[in-house]
Amino acid sequence: MSHVAEMPRSKVKINIKKGLVTVNGNIVKKGDIQVTPADHITFDGKRLEYLGLRYYMLNKPQGYVCANSDELHPTVFDLIEEPNLKDFHVAGRLDIDTTGLVLLTNDGDWSHQITSPKKQKFKTYVLESRDELTEEALAQLEQGVELHGEKQATLPAKAELIDKFALRLSICEGKYHQVKRMLAAVGNQVVELHRENIAGIELDPTLAEGEYRPLTDEEISIINAS
């Protein structure tokens, strides 16, 4: 079974007129025919697969940017070997030096559930700090802190101390460099940052850095249900 190839519309029309396309065994000669994912469609004798809406999780390494293209750096899409990725986007970006869970999809409504501030979906990070983390700092992070250049304090977060220099932090916003700025607001600095969970979707521990896999139906449904 072949994937749908990216082809100019003019060339598609020419190939249809040549009789190279069939739908359910019948040669079609017009491009305005309506088809469904259940239809059996062939091009030049090979069956085409309807790809539809797709969802992937990636364990992002350092050095990659969360963009479809970039002139200076490799992007997360350079790590994905799948057809027709031009309509895909990242549902919740990470900085170039941040590692961990990235979700990629061509379903805009689904990703909006993750990225919209109104939905308040928590994203969980594990960080290492420059200085020792204090109980006072954790309390400030949980209550909300004022970020430089922002008029309102951050929304309440969830903070769990792992050790003196490591913290698990869950936030439901996505401000620019937010975790790093929150640590700066309590007089500390992020040394390493890793995202392990987005809205209940956990990074698969079997994925090495740079590896990815499709989301399961259960993982996909978590976003709409939460």
Side-chain angles (χ1 to χ4, degrees):
M1 187 178 292
S2 300
H3 295 293
V4 178
E6 295 185 32
M7 185 182 298
R9 186 179 297 270
S10 58
K11 192 171 182 180
V12 171
K13 292 181 178 179
I14 292 172
N15 285 321
I16 289 176
K17 289 181 179 180
K18 287 181 178 179
L20 296 178
V21 177
T22 69
V23 177
N24 299 325
N26 300 313
I27 297 175
V28 297
K29 292 294 183 72
K30 294 183 179 180
D32 59 354
I33 185 172
Q34 298 294 313
V35 297
T36 71
D39 289 319
H40 187 287
I41 306 170
T42 68
F43 171 69
D44 199 18
K46 297 179 180 179
R47 186 177 178 184
L48 301 182
E49 178 184 0
Y50 174 70
L51 296 174
L53 298 175
R54 291 176 287 161
Y55 313 82
Y56 300 100
M57 72 160 60
L58 166 73
N59 187 357
K60 176 190 170 300
Q62 287 190 357
Y64 287 80
V65 295
C66 289
N68 290 73
S69 62
D70 190 277
E71 295 181 356
L72 299 177
H73 306 285
T75 81
V76 291
F77 288 98
D78 294 326
L79 299 169
I80 309 295
E81 296 182 1
E82 300 291 336
N84 293 13
L85 289 174
K86 62 182 180 65
D87 295 326
F88 272 66
H89 57 274
V90 175
R93 298 184 176 189
L94 289 179
D95 299 336
I96 189 171
D97 59 346
T98 302
T99 63
L101 179 60
V102 168
L103 300 177
L104 308 101
T105 183
N106 59 349
D107 187 343
D109 291 336
W110 186 83
S111 63
H112 178 72
Q113 298 291 320
I114 297 171
T115 58
S116 172
K118 295 181 180 180
K119 303 299 181 180
Q120 294 194 3
K121 295 288 197 299
F122 276 93
K123 295 89 175 174
T124 302
Y125 300 81
V126 173
L127 64 89
E128 290 187 18
S129 62
R130 178 195 61 196
D131 303 323
E132 185 173 331
L133 295 155
T134 64
E135 292 294 336
E136 181 183 359
L138 265 63
Q140 288 179 308
L141 293 172
E142 289 189 328
Q143 292 172 7
V145 294
E146 293 186 7
L147 304 181
H148 179 72
E150 301 281 350
K151 294 182 179 179
Q152 294 182 332
T154 59
L155 293 175
K158 302 174 184 178
E160 175 192 348
L161 192 65
I162 299 173
D163 63 39
K164 292 181 179 180
F165 296 89
L167 174 70
R168 179 171 285 107
L169 183 67
S170 297
I171 61 174
C172 60
E173 300 170 284
K175 298 180 184 294
Y176 180 69
H177 293 325
Q178 182 168 340
V179 174
K180 296 175 182 176
R181 294 166 67 198
M182 287 177 72
L183 261 287
V186 295
N188 210 328
Q189 181 179 325
V190 171
V191 176
E192 289 188 13
L193 186 60
H194 177 83
R195 184 162 64 192
E196 61 181 15
N197 188 297
I198 297 176
I201 298 177
E202 196 82 22
L203 177 62
D204 190 332
T206 67
L207 290 179
E209 285 195 353
E211 292 185 340
Y212 72 97
R213 68 160 173 82
L215 293 187
T216 64
D217 290 341
E218 182 180 0
E219 288 168 336
I220 295 168
S221 65
I222 285 174
I223 299 303
N224 295 323
S226 60

